[in-house]
């Protein structure tokens, strides 16, 4: 088991790793819309979703993967009414790649953020 860490993503705000790699698979923790200095990217779903993907890309890069290597994503939304806005941004980052995905509305996210996403990936090489 290998712990994945990068300074180019938001930092863990608890006793967990940004991601773990084991047997060729990469499992990220939930990634939120906070910048690498742990400031919130913005109050709206759009800015937070863009930051989530910036963070995910950095974590995946540190593990030897890209978004194209994602096989499963789980999206947590504070408000399902924001699904359309999140989904449009999600699609733009996935560039036609369509991994399996779940999306659920949750009662509350850390620091009252709007969106959190975790992924499972495996490098294609």
């Amino acid at each position: 088991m290998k712990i994945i860490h990068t300074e180019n993503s938001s930092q863990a705000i608890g006793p967990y790793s940004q991601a773990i790699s084991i047997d060729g698979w990469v499992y990220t923790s939930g990634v939120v819309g906070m910048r690498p200095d742990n400031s919130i990217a913005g109050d709206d779903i759009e800015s937070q979703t863009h930051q989530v993907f910036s963070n995910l890309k950095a974590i995946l890069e540190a593990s030897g993967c890209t978004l194209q290597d994602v096989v499963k994503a789980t999206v947590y939304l504070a408000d399902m009414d924001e699904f359309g806005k999140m989904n449009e941004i999600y699609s733009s980052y996935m560039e036609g790649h369509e991994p399996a995905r779940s999306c659920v509305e949750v009662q509350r996210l850390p620091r009252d953020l709007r969106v959190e996403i975790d992924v499972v990936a495996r490098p294609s090489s």
Side-chain angles (χ1 to χ4, degrees), residues 31-34 40-55 89 109 111-116:
V31 177
V32 295
M34 293 170 52
I40 296 174
D43 293 333
D44 57 284
I45 189 71
E46 295 91 348
S47 57
Q48 289 184 22
T49 303
H50 282 294
Q51 187 63 52
V52 165
F53 275 96
S54 176
N55 293 342
I89 296 165
L109 290 168
R111 296 186 64 185
D112 293 319
L113 292 162
R114 311 298 312 147
V115 59
E116 180 173 349

Side-chain angles (χ1 to χ4, degrees), residues 12-53:
I13 54 175
Y16 59 89
S17 301
Q18 292 172 328
I20 296 290
S21 176
I22 188 166
D23 295 332
W25 291 91
V26 176
Y27 301 85
T28 72
S29 292
V31 177
V32 295
M34 293 170 52
R35 297 179 188 99
D37 67 1
N38 278 0
S39 64
I40 296 174
D43 293 333
D44 57 284
I45 189 71
E46 295 91 348
S47 57
Q48 289 184 22
T49 303
H50 282 294
Q51 187 63 52
V52 165
F53 275 96

Side-chain angles (χ1 to χ4, degrees), residues 27-113:
Y27 301 85
T28 72
S29 292
V31 177
V32 295
M34 293 170 52
R35 297 179 188 99
D37 67 1
N38 278 0
S39 64
I40 296 174
D43 293 333
D44 57 284
I45 189 71
E46 295 91 348
S47 57
Q48 289 184 22
T49 303
H50 282 294
Q51 187 63 52
V52 165
F53 275 96
S54 176
N55 293 342
L56 277 173
K57 285 169 64 173
I59 293 167
L60 289 171
E61 182 178 296
S63 72
C65 292
T66 71
L67 289 171
Q68 296 298 304
D69 296 317
V70 171
V71 296
K72 173 72 166 84
T74 305
V75 179
Y76 307 90
L77 293 173
D79 183 349
M80 195 58 84
D81 289 340
E82 296 179 324
F83 176 85
K85 293 175 184 176
M86 177 283 302
N87 197 50
E88 185 176 329
I89 296 165
Y90 177 102
S91 296
S92 73
Y93 283 94
M94 288 302 191
E95 301 174 342
H97 177 56
E98 296 180 343
R101 184 177 84 180
S102 302
C103 182
V104 296
E105 180 180 72
V106 295
Q107 184 172 356
R108 192 168 180 202
L109 290 168
R111 296 186 64 185
D112 293 319
L113 292 162

